[in-house]
């Protein structure tokens, strides 16, 4: 038992609890001795604050914070409210704050490890006249009205001649009606719910998230903000010029939609927006649980919605078919604190602490060591500018503010008013950072503490629902989702956490490709092969096999189709490469225990799923990337493949080129310009270093927490970070260009053309309609292009009669003999392989310049040696029997 410490006044409890907790008796919690519940102590110094306009008092969005110190530090910037937050090692730092249109401000601070320093900055605008359109307006319901007023601050002695308002229409936001737009104050009437709904759907459609399936739509906070945004510009004209400022009005869409990870397990009081498959008309209906008075709205549209008002199952039907079952419950939370044992946790929360035994236990243990498990616990102790809006992501139930089953709201409201924790002199109020804040909340506000941090319910929905009880029997699929919104509800709502928005513009987010390549409806049993990389469900199943050669199902067996359906490789369920495919949400990174801790990925420095020729190389975390971004399961070169029997094209060849492997005619495995085993410090975590994280960083600092790039795109500026003696564009000019690859492509095309010219005829096997063969003479051919036929190396042939045939290279038979059966044909096939290897790598040689140049040179020499009589400046003119004056060959399209 813990020794009694009596009652404390909350005004002094912060430091007292920390001291008294060290006087305890032996711990009764078996996990406690190992620090299972105790949050780690922050070892770095924190500095945070708000940058505001000195005239208007509003936060400045996107102000730059440059840091001068003995240790290189990446600059920071403010969020849309003007807030900033950064962590540094202890030391002296000079900070410079600035933004275009403002006078810069500098401050020198001395930071000690574990110390939290607050520093608010006011920047003086340079404008002669400052227009203040006012603060953002929130909480306005559809069809509601609001009045905003602009103030003009004269700083040059000029005279105001007039003020007018303009409604700015963006791509997604809603329209509104203005009254009194010629004057300092304007009244705005918001549109109705139907207009707001259309704006929200347009926002989702823009990201490709309105899928052709029956589903609960995933909604992120930024979706609601952008869809409900009305932007007004106040334009003031004075005797010296015209000046302007903008203000945002955000419609409250809470009756239509709310933040939702796309689960069928939701909270009471939270609206649910549905999506149906495309069809001419809809007749939705809803069967609610006993005691519910819910009404389904817009039942004749593709996207109806309703708000559960009681716990239970809501069966959704369209026409005479049951489509979805939505389960509603209440948030429960757990008491994750070192002062309370497991039995007390069960009593207070009605749960069994996330299944401390059984198959779920490893997930809980991983979660407990993550930043998710202590984000509120640490921030409330250490972060200078921590406010109520942060709790939407840092607590279960998104702040537990609404009547949605989120615990004791009265305790939460009392906590927000407590001056022992809050500085109400700030707008909005912020937490007073002290090391003992969380312990004090635990004692004084246990019904707030139980909802602290990112818990199981944050991603899986309320525990107090019927579907939670089916976990062991069915796996509770209604509570589990690979949809990106599971993470995007929080990791996409600010400049620092923009991963979700970035992912949407990456190729990993391609739903169409996932459906085309990885579903039984579109790709048959082959989905079990392609789906390993192109679908989230397929990749996770493949990774679990632990064998790169293992198929998801055995093609041709009676169980193959059922196996793919069970994995979710269907049009109704398949997901692309979403967040949880690369990262295990239960073991996410921890920025508090160590700034140098890298965000974990599912496969690290493990050769079990890599191609055999990569094993033994230093790959670190990019082992995960190389599982898919490599072409074959074993070496593929002159030594291992003296003769090619097929025409399969290299697919995602980045790993092959990076490690200098799987090319013909060149020395493989030797050149590794950016993946050198002897110098792994050159480019740490090879793929991630250039495509995900900023570079370079001192190794002892690890990766920074902010500015993670999940577009996975890189540019020439990335090169300059390491190659400081040359600009990125200058370096790129020394690498392989599209013209170099185009020249190789033309050489392959010319080689095929010459083979046809030498034999005088070519048979294209199965090229005609009905899979009939086509025979052509050289004069019949106008153009011949090399192209990728969905994973096959092939050619497109256009005749002088404007007939077009496409066929794989193995079905091209000059003189009625397939290319695969002649020595010259083997050279052409291998040269084509090399071309597609370099082309599909996509880096224009940057991944491995030395290797790529060798491949280009060696391949060109091999092709020139095929027809030595034709050596000369023009590789595009075919000698007899094809007349040089004929229309063929044509310069290839690049």
């Amino acid at each position: 038992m813990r020794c009694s410490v009596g009652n404390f006044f909350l005004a002094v409890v912060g430091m007292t609890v920390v001291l008294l907790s060290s006087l305890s008796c032996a711990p009764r919690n078996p996990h406690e001795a190992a620090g299972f519940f105790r949050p780690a102590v922050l070892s770095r110094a924190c500095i945070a604050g708000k940058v505001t306009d000195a005239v208007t008092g509003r936060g400045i969005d996107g102000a730059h914070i440059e840091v001068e110190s003995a240790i290189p530090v990446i600059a920071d910037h403010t969020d849309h409210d003007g807030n900033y937050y950064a962590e540094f090692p202890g030391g002296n730092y000079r900070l410079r704050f600035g933004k275009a249109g403002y006078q810069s401000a500098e401050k020198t601070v001395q930071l000690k490890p574990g110390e939290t320093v607050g520093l608010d900055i006011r920047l003086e605008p340079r404008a002669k006249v400052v227009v203040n359109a006012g603060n953002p307006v929130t909480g306005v319901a559809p069809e509601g009205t609001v009045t905003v007023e602009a103030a003009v601050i004269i700083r040059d002695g000029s005279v105001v001649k007039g003020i007018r308002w303009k409604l700015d229409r963006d791509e997604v936001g809603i329209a509104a009606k203005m009254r009194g737009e010629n004057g300092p104050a304007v009244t705005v009437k918001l549109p109705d719910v139907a207009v707001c709904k259309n704006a929200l759907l347009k926002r989702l459609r823009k990201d490709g998230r309105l899928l052709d399936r029956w589903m609960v739509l995933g909604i992120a906070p930024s979706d609601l903000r952008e869809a409900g945004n009305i932007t007004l510009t106040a334009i003031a004209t004075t005797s010296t010029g015209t000046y302007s400022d903008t203000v945002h009005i955000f419609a409250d869409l809470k009756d239509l939609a709310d933040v939702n990870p796309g689960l069928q397990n939701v909270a009471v009081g939270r609206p649910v927006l549905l999506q149906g498959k495309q069809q001419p008309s809809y007749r939705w209906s809803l069967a609610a649980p006993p005691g519910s008075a819910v009404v389904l709205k817009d039942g004749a549209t593709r996207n109806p919605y309703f708000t559960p008002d009681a716990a239970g199952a809501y069966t959704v039907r369209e026409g005479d078919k049951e489509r979805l079952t939505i389960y509603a419950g209440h948030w429960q939370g757990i008491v994750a604190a070192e002062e309370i044992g497991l039995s007390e946790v069960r009593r207070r929360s009605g749960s069994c602490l996330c299944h401390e035994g059984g198959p779920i236990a490893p997930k809980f243990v991983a979660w407990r060591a993550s930043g998710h498990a202590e984000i509120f616990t640490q921030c409330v102790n250490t972060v200078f500018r921590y406010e109520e809006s942060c709790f939407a992501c840092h607590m279960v139930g998104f702040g537990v503010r609404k009547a949605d089953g989120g615990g004791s709201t009265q305790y939460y409201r009392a906590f927000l008013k407590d001056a022992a924790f809050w500085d109400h002199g700030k707008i909005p109020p912020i937490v007073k950072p002290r090391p003992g804040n969380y312990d004090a909340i635990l004692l004084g506000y246990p019904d707030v503490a139980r909802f602290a941090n990112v818990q199981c319910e944050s991603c899986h929905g309320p525990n107090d629902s019927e579907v939670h009880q089916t976990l062991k029997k069915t796996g509770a699929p209604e509570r589990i989702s690979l949809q990106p919104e599971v993470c995007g509800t929080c990791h996409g709502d600010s400049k620092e956490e923009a991963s979700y928005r970035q992912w949407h513009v990456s190729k990993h987010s391609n739903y169409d490709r996932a459906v085309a390549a990885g579903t039984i409806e579109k790709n048959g049993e082959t989905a079990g092969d392609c789906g390993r990389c192109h679908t989230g469900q397929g990749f996770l199943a493949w990774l679990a096999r632990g064998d790169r050669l293992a198929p998801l199902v055995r093609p041709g067996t009676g169980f193959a189709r059922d196996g793919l359906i069970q994995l979710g490789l269907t049009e109704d369920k398949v997901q692309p490469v979403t967040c949880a495919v690369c990262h295990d949400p239960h073991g996410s990174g921890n920025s508090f225990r160590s700034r140098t801790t890298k965000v974990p990925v599912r496969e690290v420095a493990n050769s079990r799923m890599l191609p055999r020729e990569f094993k033994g190389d230093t790959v670190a975390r990019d082992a995960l990337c190389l599982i898919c971004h490599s072409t074959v399961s074993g070496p593929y070169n002159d030594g291992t493949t003296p003769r090619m029997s097929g025409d399969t094209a290299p697919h995602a060849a980045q790993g092959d080129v990076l490690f200098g492997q799987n090319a013909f005619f060149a020395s493989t495995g030797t050149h590794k310009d950016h993946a050198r085993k002897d110098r792994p410090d050159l480019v740490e975590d090879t793929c991630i270093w250039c495509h995900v994280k900023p570079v370079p960083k001192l190794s002892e600092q690890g990766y920074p927490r902010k500015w993670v790039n999940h577009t996975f795109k890189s540019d020439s500026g990335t090169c300059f970070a390491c190659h400081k003696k040359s600009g990125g564009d200058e370096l790129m000019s020394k690498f392989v260009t599209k013209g170099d690859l185009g020249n190789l492509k033309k050489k392959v095309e010319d080689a095929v053309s010459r083979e046809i010219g030498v034999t005088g005829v070519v048979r294209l096997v199965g090229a005609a309609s009905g899979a009939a063969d086509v025979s052509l003479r050289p004069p019949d051919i106008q153009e011949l292009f090399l192209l990728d036929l969905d994973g096959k190396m092939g050619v497109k042939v256009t005749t002088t009669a404007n007939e077009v045939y496409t066929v794989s290279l193995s079905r091209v038979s000059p003189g009625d003999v397939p290319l695969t059966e002649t020595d010259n044909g083997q050279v052409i096939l291998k040269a084509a392989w090399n071309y597609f290897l370099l082309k599909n790598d996509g880096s224009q040689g940057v991944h491995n310049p030395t290797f790529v140049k060798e491949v280009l040179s060696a391949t060109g020499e091999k092709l020139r040696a095929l027809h030595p009589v034709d050596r000369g400046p023009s590789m595009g003119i075919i000698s007899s029997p094809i007349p040089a004056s004929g229309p063929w060959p044509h310069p290839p399209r690049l």
Side-chain angles (χ1 to χ4, degrees):
M1 297 290 294
R2 293 249 178 220
C3 301
S4 175
V5 296
N7 297 322
F8 302 97
F9 292 100
L10 289 178
V12 297
V13 75
M15 296 303 298
T16 309
V17 170
V18 175
L19 175 62
L20 291 177
S21 64
S22 65
L23 303 177
S24 60
C25 304
R28 68 183 184 186
N29 187 331
H31 299 294
E32 204 169 313
F36 189 76
F37 280 125
R38 175 72 64 178
V41 176
L42 188 67
S43 61
R44 297 167 66 88
C46 301
I47 184 169
K50 188 168 187 176
V51 180
T52 58
D53 186 303
V55 175
T56 66
R58 298 207 315 258
I60 299 176
D61 178 15
H64 298 286
I65 300 99
E66 298 176 359
V67 183
E68 293 181 2
S69 69
I71 301 176
V73 178
I74 288 182
D76 204 345
H77 58 255
T78 58
D79 64 14
H80 53 80
D81 292 322
N83 299 320
Y84 72 94
Y85 169 75
E87 298 175 11
F88 306 113
N92 292 321
Y93 298 90
R94 186 165 185 81
L95 280 66
R96 181 180 296 107
F97 301 81
K99 186 178 180 180
Y102 290 89
Q103 299 178 18
S104 298
E106 295 186 357
K107 293 288 182 180
T108 300
V109 294
Q110 183 174 6
L111 303 176
K112 298 178 181 179
E115 180 182 38
T116 300
V117 174
L119 182 62
D120 288 344
I121 297 294
R122 300 173 66 198
L123 296 183
E124 189 70 29
R126 298 180 183 275
K128 298 177 181 179
V129 175
V130 176
V131 180
N132 182 8
N135 294 316
V137 180
T138 60
V140 185
E143 297 190 82
T145 59
V146 61
T147 299
V148 293
E149 185 171 358
V152 181
I153 299 92
I154 301 296
R155 312 177 81 195
D156 61 354
S158 61
V159 177
V160 177
K161 293 185 175 181
I163 301 174
R164 63 182 178 87
W165 290 87
K166 183 182 71 171
L167 179 65
D168 295 334
R169 293 295 307 274
D170 61 20
E171 188 176 351
V172 175
I174 57 178
K177 295 181 179 179
M178 295 190 299
R179 187 175 68 250
E181 54 266 38
N182 293 314
V186 61
T187 299
V188 180
K189 181 177 177 58
L190 275 63
D192 60 21
V193 174
V195 173
C196 295
K197 177 184 172 183
N198 287 336
L200 178 58
L201 294 175
K202 185 177 181 180
R203 175 74 186 82
L204 302 180
R205 188 179 299 109
K206 178 183 176 183
D207 285 341
R209 291 153 60 191
L210 294 183
L211 308 178
D212 192 22
R213 60 182 64 169
W214 308 97
M215 63 184 295
V216 173
L217 285 174
I219 306 292
S222 54
D223 296 327
L224 300 174
R225 184 177 62 250
E226 293 176 21
N229 175 40
I230 298 171
T231 303
L232 298 175
T233 299
I235 303 170
T237 302
T238 75
S239 54
T240 59
T242 301
Y243 309 88
S244 64
D245 188 30
T246 60
V247 63
H248 297 277
I249 301 173
F250 296 102
D252 189 346
L253 308 183
K254 64 182 179 182
D255 293 330
L256 165 66
D258 205 345
V259 174
N260 191 314
L263 300 174
Q264 291 173 234
N265 187 52
V266 302
V268 172
R270 291 293 179 88
V272 179
L273 182 60
L274 304 176
Q275 166 84 350
K277 281 194 170 184
Q278 183 67 51
Q279 59 187 41
S281 61
Y282 300 88
R283 293 185 297 111
W284 296 88
S285 61
L286 180 67
S292 171
V294 68
V295 175
L296 182 73
K297 299 180 180 179
D298 284 359
T301 71
R302 188 180 184 183
N303 300 101
Y305 60 97
F306 71 98
T307 302
D309 57 353
Y314 294 78
T315 302
V316 181
R317 304 177 69 87
E318 194 287 313
D320 58 354
K321 295 182 179 180
E322 183 177 320
R323 299 300 186 183
L324 296 166
T325 300
I326 313 298
Y327 296 88
H330 300 90
W331 304 112
Q332 293 295 295
I334 60 172
V335 181
E338 68 277 8
E339 307 296 335
I340 297 177
L342 295 180
S343 61
E344 183 68 3
V345 168
R346 294 191 191 97
R347 186 185 73 79
R348 292 196 184 193
S349 66
S351 68
C352 54
L353 194 59
C354 298
H355 311 271
E356 70 270 17
I360 306 298
K363 298 182 183 297
F364 173 70
V365 172
W367 165 82
R368 190 60 194 92
S370 74
H372 280 163
E374 58 182 36
I375 185 70
F376 176 91
T377 305
Q378 285 288 359
C379 284
V380 79
N381 287 346
T382 61
V383 177
F384 173 71
R385 186 163 290 278
Y386 199 50
E387 57 190 65
E388 185 186 7
S389 63
C390 303
F391 300 166
C393 286
H394 294 182
M395 294 183 73
V396 169
F398 301 102
V400 202
R401 294 188 295 277
K402 301 177 183 178
D404 56 6
S408 302
T409 305
Q410 60 186 12
Y411 287 98
Y412 182 79
R413 291 174 178 169
F415 164 65
L416 293 178
K417 295 178 181 179
D418 196 325
F421 297 102
W422 294 90
D423 180 355
H424 293 102
K426 302 288 186 181
I427 301 177
I430 60 175
V431 173
K432 301 174 182 177
R434 289 178 303 191
N437 272 347
Y438 178 70
D439 294 314
I441 294 170
L442 175 67
L443 293 178
Y445 298 96
D447 287 289
V448 173
R450 66 187 270 196
F451 294 100
N453 304 312
V454 180
Q455 302 181 23
C456 310
E457 292 177 294
S458 301
C459 300
H460 297 294
N463 281 348
D464 181 26
S465 72
E466 293 180 19
V467 73
H468 183 217
Q469 308 305 319
T470 69
L471 181 62
K472 292 183 179 180
K473 294 181 180 179
T474 67
E478 297 86 356
R479 304 192 76 210
I480 300 171
S481 175
L482 286 180
Q483 282 191 220
E485 286 76 24
V486 173
C487 303
T489 52
C490 289
H491 293 277
D493 202 37
S494 68
K495 290 183 178 178
E496 288 76 18
E497 294 290 353
S499 303
Y500 170 71
R501 290 296 170 207
Q502 293 170 344
W503 173 86
H504 269 295
V505 300
S506 77
K507 292 184 179 180
H508 282 175
S509 68
N510 193 330
Y511 274 92
D512 291 339
R513 186 60 180 166
V515 170
T519 63
I520 56 174
E521 294 93 339
K522 297 296 185 181
N523 206 13
E525 291 185 5
T526 308
D529 183 12
C530 302
R532 293 181 297 178
C533 283
H534 288 289
T535 73
Q537 295 97 324
F539 180 80
L540 293 178
W542 189 32
L543 199 62
R545 303 282 199 277
D547 181 0
R548 182 177 176 85
L549 299 178
L552 296 183
V553 297
R554 191 175 298 279
T557 64
F559 303 102
R561 184 180 179 87
D562 291 340
L564 294 176
I565 292 174
Q566 187 174 3
L567 287 175
L569 300 190
T570 65
E571 288 184 297
D572 289 337
K573 294 183 179 180
V574 74
Q575 293 288 335
V577 183
T578 60
C579 316
V581 175
C582 295
H583 305 282
D584 183 352
H586 304 100
S588 56
N590 190 327
S591 61
F592 287 104
R593 282 192 171 87
S594 171
R595 182 70 166 185
T596 62
T597 299
K598 302 172 184 178
V599 175
V601 293
R602 289 189 180 270
E603 196 82 340
V604 179
N606 193 330
S607 62
R608 67 187 182 118
M609 291 290 288
L610 296 182
R612 285 178 301 195
E613 68 271 29
F614 293 175
K615 291 184 178 180
D617 281 296
T618 302
V619 294
R621 291 192 301 161
D622 48 304
L624 179 77
C625 310
L626 294 173
I627 291 173
C628 285
H629 290 273
S630 53
T631 61
V632 293
S633 298
Y636 201 73
N637 51 51
D638 291 301
T640 62
T641 315
R643 296 190 70 83
M644 295 179 66
S645 60
D647 48 34
T648 300
H651 194 29
Q654 291 82 10
D656 306 71
V657 173
L658 186 68
F659 286 90
Q661 294 283 2
N662 297 325
F664 294 96
F665 317 135
S667 56
T668 56
T670 301
H671 305 298
K672 302 177 183 179
D673 294 350
H674 285 122
R676 289 178 55 183
K677 181 180 178 181
D678 60 325
R679 290 290 305 279
D681 58 305
L682 290 178
V683 185
E684 186 182 3
D685 288 327
T686 308
C687 310
I688 294 172
W689 186 258
C690 295
H691 290 278
V692 183
K693 300 288 186 176
V695 292
K697 283 285 288 180
L698 298 181
S699 58
E700 63 268 20
Q701 286 183 295
Y703 290 120
R705 173 168 164 265
K706 300 178 181 179
W707 308 309
V708 177
N709 173 23
H710 275 83
T711 66
F712 308 107
K713 296 178 181 178
S714 189
D715 56 32
S716 58
T718 303
C719 307
F720 180 73
C722 291
H723 299 275
K724 296 186 180 298
K725 293 183 179 180
S726 300
D729 293 332
E730 181 183 350
L731 280 169
M732 290 289 288
S733 67
K734 298 178 181 179
F735 294 156
V736 180
T737 67
K738 290 182 179 180
D740 296 319
L741 292 176
N743 288 336
L744 177 58
K745 177 176 181 288
K746 187 176 186 304
K747 290 174 183 178
V748 176
E749 294 166 343
D750 285 350
V752 177
S753 302
R754 286 188 175 92
E755 286 297 299
I756 298 172
V758 168
T759 61
V761 67
V762 62
R763 182 163 59 94
L764 306 179
V765 179
S769 59
D773 296 349
V774 175
S775 293
L776 299 171
R777 295 180 303 107
D780 299 330
I781 300 174
Q782 178 177 320
E783 296 175 336
L784 184 149
F785 292 153
L786 184 68
L787 76 166
D788 189 328
L789 296 177
D790 197 21
K792 296 280 189 181
M793 301 185 299
V795 291
K796 175 183 176 181
V797 177
T798 303
T799 70
T800 54
N802 291 323
E803 297 168 315
V804 178
Y805 303 101
T806 56
V807 65
S808 62
L809 281 178
S810 64
R811 297 189 177 191
V812 176
S813 300
D816 210 32
V817 180
L819 288 174
T820 55
E821 296 182 12
T822 67
D823 291 341
N824 282 5
Q826 283 291 317
V827 173
I828 291 172
L829 286 169
K830 292 178 179 180
W833 170 277
N834 284 356
Y835 164 72
F836 285 111
L837 185 82
L838 303 185
K839 174 182 178 292
N840 292 339
D841 164 61
S843 74
Q844 296 184 42
V846 172
H847 284 154
N848 197 340
T850 305
F851 172 72
V852 170
K853 289 180 179 179
E854 180 182 341
V855 172
L856 285 170
S857 176
T859 307
E861 286 297 320
K862 284 288 185 179
L863 290 172
R864 279 192 290 272
L866 291 182
H867 304 91
V869 69
D870 290 327
R871 284 185 179 177
S874 176
M875 292 290 291
I877 303 300
I878 305 301
S879 59
S880 179
I882 299 178
S885 60
W888 177 78
H890 190 276
R893 298 189 184 99
L894 301 181

